[in-house]
Amino acid sequence: IYAVIKSSGINNDGNRKIGYTAPSILGQEALLRHVYEGAEIETESIGIVECHGSATPLGDPVEVEALQRAFHKNAGDHCAHGSVQRNRGHADCAAGIASFIKVVLSIVNRKIPATLHFEKPNEKINLEDSPFYVNTKTLDWSNDKYPLRGGVNSLGLGGTNAHVVLEEAPAIPGDFVDEPARNHKILTLSAKTPTALDK
């Protein structure tokens, strides 16, 4: 087990956006709040959020604003922002799963990957009064208070929003793995009829 999916959700912005290709802060914020309430965890326990990162003048500020609202704008630079699309471009329908795999591998390796080629944020994005930061080098990831947790944000044309919360897998106790074999085993059988079962 590489990671546990704590919560996930999807919604659509509907008429809360100015056009078919335009994102909505309200729609994204509503989804994020729903997913984190469903996970029953504090947003301060999230160490990384993998953003959709469309790199558009409107898309990125809307995505970050929705995240800041859902995370209650807790200051403290405790959550890294990243986007794997900076590394390899937009993967179209596979963009969400690429981000998902990145966060799972981040949890497994206990590392927060560097955001490549980052120099300065979009002028419309304010990270100063938020819990978010852009990391420019690979960091060791540890958290004594909470298990390692990350979020994956994925957005689709027409206002579809998706978010997944991932958590590190629980440790398997050594005695569970080395448990001696039992003397008796259960062999289960099934059949369509009692006669067939007897045979």
Side-chain angles (χ1 to χ4, degrees):
I1 300 172
Y2 291 97
V4 175
I5 297 174
K6 291 290 287 182
S7 184
S8 66
I10 58 171
N11 76 356
N12 190 281
D13 296 329
N15 66 359
R16 293 177 287 195
K17 57 187 184 302
I18 59 173
Y20 182 73
T21 61
S24 162
I25 294 173
L26 295 177
Q28 291 181 37
E29 179 188 1
L31 173 68
L32 291 161
R33 289 186 184 280
H34 170 74
V35 169
Y36 283 97
E37 287 170 9
E40 297 181 342
I41 60 174
E42 298 294 330
T43 55
E44 68 181 25
S45 70
I46 303 298
I48 183 172
V49 171
E50 177 68 5
C51 296
H52 181 73
S54 63
T56 60
L58 181 61
D60 288 356
V62 166
E63 182 176 14
V64 174
E65 177 65 23
L67 282 160
Q68 289 177 346
R69 289 184 182 191
F71 274 58
H72 310 294
K73 296 193 177 181
N74 297 322
D77 290 350
H78 70 267
C79 185
H81 261 190
S83 177
V84 73
Q85 293 195 96
R86 295 182 64 89
N87 298 53
R88 50 97 182 108
H90 201 309
D92 197 35
C93 294
I97 195 64
S99 296
F100 182 94
I101 291 168
K102 176 186 171 184
V103 174
V104 168
L105 290 175
S106 297
I107 289 171
V108 169
N109 293 296
R110 305 182 76 80
K111 300 279 185 186
I112 296 178
T115 299
L116 300 180
H117 316 299
F118 176 80
E119 294 177 6
K120 61 179 182 176
N122 183 317
E123 293 177 358
K124 297 179 181 176
I125 296 175
N126 176 20
L127 295 176
E128 292 180 5
D129 300 319
S130 80
F132 303 108
Y133 67 95
V134 179
N135 60 308
T136 55
K137 61 181 181 179
T138 300
L139 305 172
D140 291 328
W141 189 9
S142 61
N143 195 336
D144 297 331
K145 190 174 178 182
Y146 304 104
L148 298 186
R149 292 178 178 147
V152 179
N153 218 35
S154 190
L155 313 173
L157 189 67
T160 299
N161 308 307
H163 195 82
V164 176
V165 180
L166 295 163
E167 180 179 283
E168 66 181 313
I172 299 174
D175 57 349
F176 178 80
V177 176
D178 300 328
E179 183 179 298
R182 293 176 291 185
N183 293 329
H184 298 79
K185 308 284 190 252
I186 296 175
L187 176 62
T188 56
L189 303 172
S190 65
K192 196 169 186 178
T193 65
T195 305
L197 182 61
D198 289 341
K199 288 182 179 180

